[in-house]
Amino acid sequence: MHVCALADLPRGTARRLPTTPPVSVFHTADGGLYAVDDTCTHQDASLADGWVEDCWVECPLHAAVFDLRTGESDGLLARRPLRTHTVHVVDGAVHVELSVGALAP
Ligand code: FES
């Protein structure tokens, strides 16, 4: 699915997509692009509102940390991983290929 122009997703920002469940695309400070399910697997918080450092996002509610590359959590509060999705940039536009994998139980 088309997300936006890469120029409209500056480094250090994230964009939540109107999917079900919501997915967020992160453009990290070093230029990486990652897409993961947006809802923290601990409780109901949007990771697009979290803090990103390197390839990690910290949940804004209780500070669980997830690896944007793999979806794995730090295993403390959020014991289940996030689904990851594939990001492509084509002709200056960001696209996400949504995972068809099941949601974490
Ligand atoms: S809701 Fe994310 S750590 Fe609690």
Side-chain angles (χ1 to χ4, degrees):
M1 81 182 285
H2 175 264
V3 176
C4 63
L6 181 58
D8 292 334
L9 185 65
R11 291 183 185 204
T13 66
R15 179 173 293 219
R16 185 171 42 216
L17 308 181
T19 53
T20 305
V23 166
S24 283
V25 183
F26 295 83
H27 193 180
T28 60
D30 66 359
L33 287 162
Y34 304 96
V36 296
D37 281 353
D38 178 67
T39 306
C40 180
T41 62
H42 177 229
Q43 289 180 3
D44 190 14
S46 171
L47 296 174
D49 295 332
W51 293 272
V52 175
E53 186 167 348
D54 297 327
C55 293
W56 300 84
V57 61
E58 181 180 300
C59 177
L61 202 51
H62 308 110
V65 176
F66 295 89
D67 188 328
L68 293 170
R69 298 165 296 184
T70 65
E72 291 293 328
S73 75
D74 58 8
L76 300 176
L77 290 172
R79 297 182 182 274
R80 289 175 286 123
L82 301 167
R83 288 190 310 167
T84 58
H85 308 276
T86 305
V87 183
H88 302 284
V89 177
V90 180
D91 296 331
V94 179
H95 298 265
V96 170
E97 189 178 322
L98 295 175
S99 169
V100 293
L103 290 172

